[in-house]
Amino acid sequence: MNRTDRLYAIVEELRAVAPRPRSAAWLADRFEVSRRTVERDIGALQQAGVPVWAEPGRTGGYCLDRGRTLPPVNFSPDEAVAVAVALGDLAGTPFAGPGGTALRKILAAMRDDDASAAHDLAARVHLLGGRPAAPPVPAVLADAITSRRVLRLRYIDRAGAATTRDVEPLGFVRSTTAWYLLGWCRLRDAVRAFRLDRVDRVTATSERAPHRVVRPEDVQVPEGDLRTLTLL
């Protein structure tokens, strides 16, 4: 976990238990860093204006101002397990990491008895078979759309030929068999879809990608009709 993600996760952890404190030792163990690193992170959050303060005493720790936190998300045990089942197919996709983070946030925000019931229900759900294990998507590739950095890819095509390309990330496409990065390929001077499992190496450049509009007919993934994801 990089520092930016850890700072966000610390805030979410403190928000979930507010107004109760979390000790530096507990946070260090949770995020697998030293206590000194936690103290530096808390200092950075305070300098950024996050309402975190230290509560002294044997049972003290770091607290987040309850008046400036969101109310708990009241997921039922059934809803939490439904989300876990849905997230189970995210391995090898750009959203596997955020999916795991989302589930941890849901469980952290639930009441202790509901969280316990969710774990009990999950232990009674059995999954038979499934997709072959997929390699994790590199973080720089998973974050490509939100970071909008031009990527340098070493890409292996279906014939096994390798090329190095600078690509402006435009979106992701899921077909029936694979996930693709949709991008403006500067080598081909056109929109191209790159299968994530054929990206051999990827780095993010310092250049910010310009805004481009993609039409459905520009997407060359010949597997069914293209539709855009919507949030209900």
Side-chain angles (χ1 to χ4, degrees):
M1 179 183 292
N2 62 43
R3 190 180 189 223
T4 300
D5 290 342
R6 188 175 66 251
L7 290 174
Y8 180 81
I10 288 173
V11 172
E12 291 304 308
E13 178 61 42
L14 295 179
R15 190 194 308 278
V17 299
R20 291 174 292 162
R22 285 294 196 202
S23 69
W26 192 97
L27 292 169
D29 183 65
R30 168 67 179 82
F31 297 108
E32 299 180 346
V33 295
S34 68
R35 289 186 58 172
R36 184 169 179 80
T37 296
V38 169
E39 291 165 358
R40 285 198 297 262
D41 287 349
I42 294 295
L45 291 170
Q46 291 171 331
Q47 290 178 11
V50 178
V52 180
W53 77 92
E55 187 172 284
R58 184 175 58 85
T59 60
Y62 295 109
C63 305
L64 192 65
D65 184 356
R66 189 177 192 178
R68 296 176 63 182
T69 63
L70 295 175
V73 180
N74 294 316
F75 280 85
S76 70
D78 286 354
E79 290 170 336
V81 173
V83 172
V85 171
L87 295 178
D89 288 332
L90 291 184
T93 78
F95 303 103
T101 301
L103 184 56
R104 287 193 294 273
K105 289 179 182 178
I106 289 172
L107 292 171
M110 293 173 70
R111 297 185 317 188
D112 289 345
D113 56 341
D114 281 345
S116 178
H119 283 289
D120 181 69
L121 177 58
R124 300 169 187 270
V125 176
H126 309 285
L127 307 175
L128 183 64
R131 299 177 181 176
V137 176
V140 66
L141 194 53
D143 295 340
I145 309 307
T146 51
S147 67
R148 290 188 58 196
R149 298 293 179 185
V150 176
L151 302 178
R152 184 155 296 147
L153 308 179
R154 185 176 187 271
Y155 188 70
I156 312 297
D157 66 17
R158 68 178 63 186
T163 55
T164 299
R165 309 163 182 238
D166 283 357
V167 175
E168 301 169 14
L170 299 174
F172 291 112
V173 177
R174 187 198 67 186
S175 74
T176 57
T177 58
W179 277 82
Y180 296 78
L181 170 69
L182 191 66
W184 180 267
C185 176
R186 292 182 175 177
L187 179 66
R188 306 302 185 201
D189 200 29
V191 174
R192 289 290 185 268
F194 302 92
R195 271 186 64 139
L196 298 187
D197 57 1
R198 290 182 184 159
V199 176
D200 182 58
R201 189 166 55 245
V202 56
T203 57
T205 71
S206 60
E207 181 183 356
R208 194 165 180 82
H211 177 72
R212 293 183 185 273
V213 177
V214 180
R215 301 169 301 173
E217 56 267 30
D218 294 328
V219 182
Q220 299 177 4
V221 181
E223 296 185 38
D225 296 330
L226 185 72
R227 60 185 178 86
T228 300
L229 178 70
T230 58
L231 298 180
L232 299 178

